Amino acid sequence: MGETFRFGNVTGPVNAGSGTQYVGGHHQVAGRDLHGVAGNQIMNQGLHADLEAIRNALGELRLTATERQNAERELSAVEDAVRAETPDREQAADHLQALTSGLERAGALADAGTSLVDALGRIAQWLGPLGAGVIALLGL
């Protein structure tokens, strides 16, 4: 049984891909691609949840005071970069890489639960090619 869809008079450039549709300059946000509408920053709820999961996991890891301080500083920098009016993915990637590298050197990634590794991985994926170093560190 086939389905028929009628869109009426559709004009202008129409591009559909990755869950986002652009029709004649009007930005429709659909699915998980929730980045920004009309100049207001609307962050992907999953990204907020992942940042919070990382923050919570840091509190449970066995880290020296210096390691914890460095990790919290890098995480705060990631949060600032992605929550800016225009997210700075390059800055976020640099700080996420530093955070992940520091946790690896401290041996904390091996002790961490899957929630931390998964959250780091999802943020790295959101960063696209800029997150490749983090994905490699995580072995994903």
Side-chain angles (χ1 to χ4, degrees):
M1 192 189 284
E3 294 184 33
T4 303
F5 299 94
R6 182 162 172 20
F7 296 101
N9 295 327
V10 177
T11 60
V14 177
N15 301 312
S18 183
T20 303
Q21 288 185 335
Y22 297 93
V23 180
H26 179 75
H27 188 174
Q28 290 288 324
V29 180
R32 66 184 189 94
D33 294 326
L34 206 55
H35 299 294
V37 176
N40 294 327
Q41 186 62 36
I42 301 173
M43 293 302 297
N44 182 316
Q45 290 180 350
L47 184 59
H48 281 296
D50 287 334
L51 291 167
E52 188 64 26
I54 294 168
R55 185 155 302 283
N56 290 338
L58 287 180
E60 298 175 12
L61 295 176
R62 290 184 191 174
L63 299 170
T64 66
T66 301
E67 291 167 341
R68 184 172 311 284
Q69 182 180 19
N70 290 339
E72 289 175 357
R73 184 184 64 244
E74 295 299 341
L75 179 57
S76 292
V78 172
E79 291 170 332
D80 290 345
V82 301
R83 290 182 175 152
E85 174 107 10
T86 303
D88 188 337
R89 290 179 188 237
E90 192 169 326
Q91 284 290 324
D94 290 345
H95 292 290
L96 190 68
Q97 176 81 31
L99 169 64
T100 306
S101 295
L103 293 176
E104 182 187 44
R105 280 191 308 275
L109 285 180
D111 295 338
T114 57
S115 64
L116 173 62
V117 173
D118 289 348
L120 289 167
R122 282 189 297 270
I123 293 172
Q125 288 173 346
W126 175 80
L127 291 167
L130 295 170
V134 172
I135 290 173
L137 278 172
L138 298 173
L140 300 176

